Amino acid sequence: MNIPPSSQPSTEMEILSVLFTSITTTLLLLFIPFSALILRIFTGKSINNPKYHPVLGTAFHQLFHFSTLYDYQTRVGKTHPTFRLLGPDQSDIYTTDTRNIEYILKTNFDKYSKGKQNQDIVTDLFGKGIFAVDGEKWRHQRKLASYEFSTRVLRDFSCAVFRRNAAKLVRSVSEFSVAKQAFDIQDLLMRCTLDSIFKVGFGVDLNCLEGSSKEGSAFIKAFDDSNALVYWRYVDPLWKLKRFLNIGCEASLKKNITFIDDFVHSLIRTKRKQLEMQQDCNDKEDILSRFLVESKKDPEEMNDKYLRDIILNFMIAGKDTTANTLSWFFYMLSKNPLIQEKIAQEVRDVISSSQGNEISIDEFVTNITDEKLDKMQYLHAALTETLRLYPAVPVDGRVAETDDTLPDGFKLKKGDGVYYTAYAMGRMSYIWGDDAEDFRPERWLNNGVFQPESPFKFVSFHAGLRICLGKDFAYRQMKIMSTALLQFFQFKLADDMKNVTYRTMFTLHIDGGLNLHAVPRTNFGM
């Protein structure tokens, strides 16, 4: 049957019409929420009001610069010590001004908190641990942790663990050295510090450094990836939707956290059973055993979930910060061989001068006492200088609970975040002088004796009422490990031309690791 020409569809025109309508509708659907978001960002922020900090962009600028975020903050900080980035609900103030930092961390401490947005972002990983909470929960954990870190039992036990694992680390490096192979020192250090924190924290020999714990290696990867994925939430406006739909990076995060939770809860159950069999032993060495004993006083509050959160917060403090700092430390020593040799000479002068050229690893680490470590002023200065330039936590901060005025004279509104950029601060000439970007341990010494700076200027261990309780604990571990390594090896970069940078996350990891060669300094027995 023939169809009259007048009734035949204009196929091309109809397709174009449908396509145009579809595109228009899609653009409209995208334009409406985008416009609403832009309106929320710029409304009520007092943008042109000179009483508030200068606006240098929106929160999306952090997304654009995410892979080099801390260097972006450094570039801006050199011309604007304090500036604002606008977010949908509040302004985020970034500062290198030591007056502002002292104000929010000490002088007006009670008017600043972690803030709901920060807690929403980190809770899945850190739960209600000490780094994520305020108020009574923070005070309770702080009090418990303060007591534990002050005990002689924990100090002696941890030092023994650090020395033993330092010996294992030297043996691991020796295998690469003998084979003349490059190795990733960050990976070895991560494994070593994980072994240490598991022994000190849980009383468990993980043996991750020796490669016998595949589950331990999987834990490192899951924990580090979770660290990075949670940090990504700060620049991902759709993270809550992704979490609800369990897609993309949020699906990966959920899988990692499930593995971490199962791993830690298994440890808690095992430790409970061990304690039930050792009820007559009151002198508990590891932190988990001591917290489990404490939990009996309030089992409803200090349940396994709460203990899990406490443990993971100790984990990031005890594993990431130390291993990251030592990784950057050996990077700087490889870039500055004269400084490396000066520290190695101090090691020989203080610890091994009376032991001859041949010494066993175990004999050497046994001689690393607190008294001798205290004499190593240049090593302490070099580690501190590393932390100045490569702080373990590159950005941290608080949120205003009320309207306020900072010491720099600018106002804040309730809900505004105030973040101090420790990485950027270490590179500011108006804080550290014209040689701020140089690695110079001597800046910390006066007639050969280490001289500390104000914690509001050197903020690598936080400051004020929340200053790091494990500061001495961390220095002790870093000194023992670096002393052992520098006694037996000289370190060189495997590739002088490779660009060494960081992975943007809560802690300052070296992106892709750090490959080194280790050249033996002396003969030694295994």
Side-chain angles (χ1 to χ4, degrees), residues 369-386:
T369 63
D370 280 348
E371 181 182 6
K372 290 181 178 178
L373 288 177
D374 288 342
K375 294 179 180 178
M376 301 183 67
Q377 300 286 297
Y378 196 77
L379 171 61
H380 193 94
L383 287 167
T384 306
E385 181 73 345
T386 302

Side-chain angles (χ1 to χ4, degrees), residues 404-415:
D404 202 0
T405 302
L406 291 177
D408 61 10
F410 292 103
K411 294 181 178 294
L412 296 174
K413 293 182 180 179
K414 179 181 179 180

Side-chain angles (χ1 to χ4, degrees), residues 499-510:
N499 180 38
V500 176
T501 187
Y502 49 80
R503 182 182 181 187
T504 305
M505 49 202 291
F506 284 104
T507 49
L508 202 69
H509 279 47
I510 295 179

Side-chain angles (χ1 to χ4, degrees), residues 107-248:
T107 310
N108 229 17
F109 177 81
D110 290 336
K111 288 187 178 180
Y112 292 84
S113 69
K114 298 299 291 186
K116 185 178 183 306
Q117 180 193 18
N118 291 322
Q119 289 173 330
D120 286 347
I121 286 174
V122 306
T123 293
D124 287 339
L125 180 58
F126 298 121
K128 296 181 180 178
I130 194 168
F131 294 132
V133 294
D134 292 300
E136 194 54 42
K137 284 189 180 297
W138 171 74
R139 292 186 185 90
H140 178 246
Q141 292 183 49
R142 179 85 177 182
K143 182 179 179 181
L144 286 176
S146 178
Y147 173 75
E148 299 305 336
F149 276 113
S150 66
T151 61
R152 186 74 193 184
V153 171
L154 180 61
R155 177 171 177 164
D156 291 345
F157 177 54
S158 63
C159 283
V161 171
F162 296 157
R163 284 192 288 266
R164 185 165 60 250
N165 284 333
K168 291 180 181 180
L169 181 61
V170 171
R171 291 188 178 94
S172 295
V173 172
S174 179
E175 293 178 9
F176 292 106
S177 179
V178 169
K180 292 182 170 54
Q181 290 181 348
F183 62 96
D184 180 0
I185 194 167
Q186 179 172 251
D187 178 62
L188 288 181
L189 290 166
M190 283 289 178
R191 293 171 184 272
C192 186
T193 55
L194 186 66
D195 280 350
S196 294
I197 197 63
F198 263 74
K199 187 63 177 178
V200 175
F202 310 144
V204 173
D205 287 310
L206 196 60
N207 296 321
C208 190
L209 182 61
E210 296 170 330
S212 59
S213 175
K214 292 182 179 179
E215 197 172 23
S217 298
F219 181 88
I220 290 177
K221 187 176 188 314
F223 192 77
D224 290 349
D225 287 350
S226 296
N227 184 327
L229 289 167
V230 169
Y231 202 77
W232 174 252
R233 286 177 169 180
Y234 279 100
V235 296
D236 184 357
L238 301 177
W239 73 265
K240 288 186 178 181
L241 177 62
K242 291 177 182 177
R243 182 176 65 175
F244 177 77
L245 297 174
N246 194 32
I247 60 174

Side-chain angles (χ1 to χ4, degrees), residues 17 26 48 51-52 91 100 111 114 132 142 225 296 311 323 346 364-365 433 475:
S17 177
T26 302
N48 295 318
K51 294 182 179 180
Y52 293 85
S91 295
N100 293 341
K111 288 187 178 180
K114 298 299 291 186
R142 179 85 177 182
D225 287 350
K296 293 178 181 178
I311 287 166
E346 185 177 59
F364 177 80
V365 298
Y475 267 119

Side-chain angles (χ1 to χ4, degrees), residues 162 193 196 318 322 473-482:
F162 296 157
T193 55
S196 294
T322 303
F473 188 89
Y475 267 119
R476 194 174 301 119
Q477 183 178 16
M478 290 190 294
K479 285 180 179 179
I480 290 172
M481 292 170 68
S482 57

Side-chain angles (χ1 to χ4, degrees), residues 298-312:
D298 189 1
E300 290 189 10
E301 177 66 21
M302 291 190 69
N303 54 30
D304 284 4
K305 174 66 171 66
Y306 193 37
L307 288 170
R308 172 266 187 204
D309 297 343
I310 292 173
I311 287 166
L312 285 182

